[in-house]
Amino acid sequence: MNISYAQSTASYGLYPLIEEIPNPMAIKSDQEGRLWITRKTGELVITSRLDLYQAEQALTQQTIDLDLADLYVAGQGGLIDVLLLDSSDAETKQLMVSYAKGNEAANATAVSLLELSWNKAENSWQLNDSRVVFINAPTKSSPVHYGGRLVQLGDGTILLTTGDGFDWREAAQDTSSGLGKVMRFNVDGSPASDNPFIDSTHPIKRYVYSFGHRNPQGLVIGQGGQIWEHEHGPAGGDEINLITAGTNYGWPVVTQGKDYSGALITPFDTYPEMQLPQVNWTPSIAPSGMYFYEHTLFSEFTNTLLVTSLVAKTIHVTSLNDLSNVDTVDLDTQVFRIQQNDVIQLEVPRLRDITALPTGEIFVISDGDNGEVLQLKKLRLQQ
């Protein structure tokens, strides 16, 4: 790889920007420098514009209850991701959100299309329209492994990750099931016309873009339109994959992880016509968010994937400069927690998601009831 943090003199800190955001799940930035944050319980938090090159300014935030019908909040279920569509402008935002829809007996990953507009008189955003455009099938009776990450491709179509539901892992290999897949559809929810299985008579199969996934938690578009995905393995076997249409990524036939009991899931390290990951983490780090960093403010991160993790509580940097030698570097010994402008070497919290402003400033959300928005800063040079 082309960058080495073993030789780097940079030291980084996480500085609390916003405190007390209960159960944040995703964070995105718009072109005007606002942050958009989903909360598991169905709310969307929108900040005022951040102009971090200017003097300190008061940062305000608005919370909108999205009133998602049949939102299922249990286990890993709830409101998950938010995607600002390319059709958005400064005063009107078209959004997609993913969430768990249903109840304990029958639930599925769903996507709604929203429109928000800026109300100048009230100095706030208002929700104008909300409609469900996609519901995955079949339903399941577990509150885990939803996937739910969203991106928009250059042709305007949408990609959505879906988990295997944990107890239905074999369904990840069944292209007639929506479990354990990357799905592709138009903004109106119809399947994209050039999907790999578009000619199928099975309704859900027409949406399948790739399959053989366990619990995909990260999805981004990289340089040249490359699609990068990461997912949780079981005990070990967390992966970063380069996604291509119609490809089988192996789960549960091929994995470098084991069952939580320690038993083998499969005897196979490879299998014909199944794609191996670009990166494997064993033991598991529990990757959560991911951001493709193409800015120059942190020049050492340019053209890398920044990956947050829950169990390892770290930020991982994956170089994409040489696709024949994709590798990651763990920054856990270099990231500090900052409080009151003092560097304090405290435990870094579980990190849920990561994004950057158009300026290149990097922000992370921490996980849990006492979630925060944290800004990544370069602290000092070590001798």
Side-chain angles (χ1 to χ4, degrees):
M1 69 187 282
N2 295 331
I3 56 175
S4 173
Y5 290 92
Q7 301 174 4
S8 173
T9 58
S11 188
Y12 303 91
L14 292 172
Y15 179 81
L17 181 73
I18 304 174
E19 299 178 345
E20 299 182 4
I21 297 183
N23 298 300
M25 294 295 288
I27 183 169
K28 299 289 173 62
S29 167
D30 64 19
Q31 289 302 308
E32 295 75 47
R34 304 180 188 89
L35 297 176
W36 299 69
I37 303 158
T38 59
R39 290 181 52 198
K40 185 177 181 179
T41 47
E43 296 82 26
L44 183 64
V45 179
I46 311 167
T47 72
S48 55
R49 299 182 184 187
L50 283 75
D51 192 352
L52 300 173
Y53 288 124
Q54 304 300 321
E56 283 191 29
Q57 76 273 21
L59 183 66
T60 62
Q61 61 192 71
Q62 176 188 359
T63 301
I64 299 176
D65 186 346
L66 298 182
D67 194 25
L68 298 167
D70 300 319
L71 175 68
Y72 179 53
V73 183
Q76 297 169 3
L79 176 58
I80 304 172
D81 203 7
V82 58
L83 169 67
L84 285 86
L85 298 180
D86 293 342
S87 53
S88 298
D89 57 35
E91 295 188 351
T92 303
K93 302 294 184 184
Q94 279 79 41
L95 311 175
M96 280 187 166
V97 294
S98 60
Y99 57 101
K101 182 180 178 63
N103 52 45
E104 182 179 2
N107 58 79
T109 306
V111 176
S112 281
L113 177 64
L114 315 176
E115 181 178 283
L116 280 72
S117 63
W118 180 250
N119 188 320
K120 294 181 181 179
E122 297 184 7
N123 200 36
S124 65
W125 292 95
Q126 66 179 29
L127 180 61
N128 298 329
D129 187 44
S130 174
R131 59 189 176 93
V132 179
V133 294
F134 179 80
I135 304 175
N136 199 31
T139 60
K140 56 189 183 61
S141 55
S142 66
V144 293
H145 289 203
Y146 291 95
R149 291 297 185 186
L150 292 159
V151 297
Q152 187 170 24
L153 299 179
D155 63 3
T157 59
I158 307 299
L159 294 182
L160 167 73
T161 66
T162 68
D164 67 352
F166 189 82
D167 291 324
W168 294 268
R169 65 191 188 193
E170 290 79 9
Q173 287 294 314
D174 179 3
T175 54
S176 295
S177 167
L179 298 176
K181 306 296 188 294
V182 174
M183 313 295 265
R184 179 169 171 249
F185 47 88
N186 299 305
V187 171
D188 65 3
S190 60
S193 61
D194 57 347
N195 276 345
F197 307 106
I198 191 63
D199 293 332
S200 172
T201 58
H202 193 284
I204 205 68
K205 186 172 182 176
R206 302 177 75 230
Y207 286 86
V208 173
Y209 190 76
S210 66
F211 60 106
H213 302 289
R214 184 174 183 268
N215 187 21
Q217 292 288 299
L219 189 68
V220 297
I221 307 303
Q223 195 172 49
Q226 295 167 337
I227 304 166
W228 293 94
E229 172 261 4
H230 70 53
E231 61 189 77
H232 288 207
D238 296 345
E239 299 178 354
I240 294 181
N241 293 300
L242 179 59
I243 301 298
T244 55
T247 301
N248 183 348
Y249 290 86
W251 175 256
V253 178
V254 176
T255 178
Q256 296 187 46
K258 295 182 178 180
D259 209 334
Y260 294 113
S261 67
L264 283 177
I265 293 171
T266 173
F268 299 112
D269 293 326
T270 62
Y271 203 83
E273 299 183 358
M274 293 186 183
Q275 178 65 47
L276 293 177
Q278 299 290 320
V279 174
N280 167 75
W281 285 290
T282 299
S284 293
I285 66 165
S288 47
M290 182 161 61
Y291 183 82
F292 173 63
Y293 193 84
E294 53 187 333
H295 310 283
T296 57
L297 183 64
F298 291 85
S299 59
E300 67 272 32
F301 296 156
T302 303
N303 194 34
T304 67
L305 299 175
L306 304 180
V307 177
T308 50
S309 63
L310 296 168
V311 170
K313 303 179 181 180
T314 57
I315 298 172
H316 298 258
V317 181
T318 301
S319 173
L320 303 180
N321 291 319
D322 180 4
L323 293 184
S324 66
N325 185 29
V326 177
D327 200 1
T328 71
V329 177
D330 188 339
L331 296 188
D332 65 337
T333 61
Q334 296 177 286
V335 178
F336 298 84
R337 178 70 177 263
I338 310 173
Q339 290 184 340
Q340 298 177 350
N341 296 319
D342 293 323
V343 177
I344 304 176
Q345 195 167 352
L346 299 176
E347 181 180 7
V348 174
R350 286 163 54 94
L351 302 179
R352 172 59 68 177
D353 197 13
I354 187 166
T355 194
L357 298 181
T359 58
E361 297 281 0
I362 297 171
F363 294 90
V364 175
I365 52 173
S366 63
D367 187 51
D369 294 340
N370 300 309
E372 298 174 295
V373 177
L374 305 162
Q375 183 184 356
L376 187 72
K377 293 183 179 181
K378 189 180 295 186
L379 297 179
R380 62 180 182 272
L381 295 179
Q382 299 172 340
Q383 300 299 321

